[in-house]
Amino acid sequence: MHWAAVVAIFFIVVTKFLQYTNKYHEKWISKFAPGNALSREYSAKMKERHELKEQNNSISAQDNYAKWTKNNRKLDSLDKEINNLKNKIQSENKAFQAHLHKLKLLTLTVPFFVFKIVYGKTPIYKLNSSTSTLFPTFVTGIWSQGWLYVILHPLRTISQKWHIMEGKFGFSKLDAMALQSVSLGIWIWALMNVINGTEFIVNQLFLTPKMEAPAFANTQEEKNLDCTDNNVILD
């Protein structure tokens, strides 16, 4: 297999892995986020609040007014601390997620895009003579040169007909490479369409919840009641 195809498959596998495990990302992030230490402190404060709340519920406000009042003041203080911790945790987790998004953009999305732009015309495999003559030149030209061939095809046709622009805009190179190979860009496009089509079929057949049969509004008893009501009205 061509090295460019191997690199493209690596990018696609990593992208799909992140897509399929998206529902677990928040759980994974919570373990490595800077707010993890604050989360432990938050849990300790919540436990302390729960104990004070139970203690206050177990004593009488009239018999132990001083202790009951002291616990209430501590509960108010704990509520403020808990709210502050909660806001800090949310803020730090959001900032951490933003950094991870930038990291993904810089290490995966942008490099894959640049890779496709730079090596998009790299021939992945050659077409034999029987295959190259089986399809129209326009089709095999797209396979070889990518979608840019669609834009340049009118100019290429004019150049061949009027014998102008020869040697310019890479037309001679286009003529030489057409019908000879499948480019990386088209190969990736075809592979992604196959993957997306397979995902759609699997989702529709196995992962989409089955729709329940519509319930009939009129059962036999309801029909009988309707007939009775009609008879009453007619009477």
Side-chain angles (χ1 to χ4, degrees), residues 12-137:
I12 292 172
V13 168
V14 174
T15 302
K16 287 299 178 181
F17 173 78
L18 293 177
Q19 177 185 333
Y20 296 150
T21 59
N22 184 55
K23 60 182 179 180
Y24 304 108
H25 290 177
E26 187 174 352
K27 183 179 180 180
W28 295 344
I29 289 173
S30 64
K31 293 182 179 180
F32 300 101
N36 196 25
L38 293 176
S39 297
R40 291 193 292 269
E41 185 179 355
Y42 177 83
S43 299
K45 295 289 183 182
M46 287 295 295
K47 182 179 180 181
E48 184 180 357
R49 184 185 184 280
H50 180 70
E51 292 174 353
L52 281 174
K53 198 73 176 176
E54 286 188 343
Q55 187 177 0
N56 253 17
N57 291 335
S58 63
I59 62 177
S60 172
Q62 295 178 349
D63 299 337
N64 297 286
Y65 180 76
K67 187 174 182 180
W68 187 84
T69 304
K70 181 180 179 182
N71 286 347
N72 268 350
R73 290 176 180 173
K74 194 167 185 180
L75 282 172
D76 291 339
S77 177
L78 278 174
D79 286 340
K80 292 179 180 178
E81 292 179 10
I82 288 171
N83 286 331
N84 289 335
L85 283 172
K86 185 177 180 180
N87 292 333
K88 287 181 180 179
I89 291 171
Q90 291 178 347
S91 177
E92 291 194 6
N93 284 345
K94 287 182 179 179
F96 187 65
Q97 288 178 357
H99 291 318
L100 288 180
H101 179 73
K102 291 179 181 178
L103 181 63
K104 178 187 174 184
L105 189 67
L106 293 175
T107 59
L108 184 63
T109 306
V110 173
F112 191 29
F113 177 77
V114 173
F115 175 77
K116 288 187 290 185
I117 293 296
V118 175
Y119 297 100
K121 292 185 179 181
T122 302
I124 296 300
Y125 58 86
K126 298 291 183 179
L127 298 175
N128 54 42
S129 57
S130 60
T131 304
S132 62
T133 56
L134 183 62
F135 296 94
T137 306

Side-chain angles (χ1 to χ4, degrees), residues 138 141-143 145-152 183 185-186 189 193:
F138 182 75
I142 293 175
W143 289 352
Q145 296 299 309
W147 297 111
L148 182 63
Y149 188 86
V150 178
I151 301 174
L152 295 180
S183 64
I186 295 300
W189 172 81
N193 274 277

Side-chain angles (χ1 to χ4, degrees), residues 131-185:
T131 304
S132 62
T133 56
L134 183 62
F135 296 94
T137 306
F138 182 75
V139 174
T140 51
I142 293 175
W143 289 352
S144 175
Q145 296 299 309
W147 297 111
L148 182 63
Y149 188 86
V150 178
I151 301 174
L152 295 180
H153 184 68
L155 296 177
R156 180 176 176 276
T157 304
I158 294 172
S159 174
Q160 290 178 341
K161 184 176 181 180
W162 298 98
H163 303 287
I164 58 177
M165 299 185 187
E166 292 183 356
K168 297 181 180 180
F169 301 106
F171 284 126
S172 58
K173 188 177 180 180
L174 286 175
D175 293 335
M177 293 185 64
L179 313 177
Q180 293 181 1
S181 63
V182 175
S183 64
L184 175 68

